Amino acid sequence: MFGDQTYDPNCIKELFLPFDLIHQEPVSAEQVLDFVARERGIDRRNESSFSAYHFPKVVDESELLDGERCGLCFRPFRR
Ligand SMILES: [Zn+2]
């Protein structure tokens, strides 16, 4: 979740992929977020230490609403 939108892992990766990582080996969304968090001095493991408007927070699959869609590609999270 970033801001008031929820994104799938692929799209959140696109949104946050830093320039330095573009030409490297394929990386996962988690690796990208870990990298960006480190650069910004954000402790991803302590979600109460930052706002979802500054850095994305993890959403558990069980927290998704029925028919909720990705904020970027608009694909539904569940089919
Ligand atoms: Zn998406």
Side-chain angles (χ1 to χ4, degrees):
M1 180 178 79
F2 183 51
D4 54 6
Q5 296 281 352
T6 308
Y7 300 93
D8 58 56
N10 237 351
C11 288
I12 202 81
K13 185 172 102 178
E14 302 270 300
L15 288 176
F16 277 86
L17 192 63
F19 202 66
D20 334 9
L21 291 186
I22 286 175
H23 299 294
Q24 296 194 12
E25 295 293 296
V27 285
S28 73
E30 288 303 309
Q31 287 172 306
V32 167
L33 293 177
D34 282 343
F35 180 91
V36 176
R38 221 177 306 129
E39 285 211 316
R40 298 187 186 178
I42 287 168
D43 180 5
R44 288 194 69 204
R45 256 121 308 259
N46 181 8
E47 291 201 331
S48 56
S49 70
F50 60 89
S51 156
Y53 285 88
H54 290 126
F55 197 79
K57 298 192 181 197
V58 173
V59 176
D60 192 82
E61 218 172 307
S62 64
E63 297 173 66
L64 293 171
L65 307 172
D66 272 341
E68 193 167 353
R69 288 167 184 266
C70 171
L72 188 65
C73 69
F74 304 113
R75 274 193 280 262
F77 292 113
R78 295 196 191 129
R79 40 198 103 173

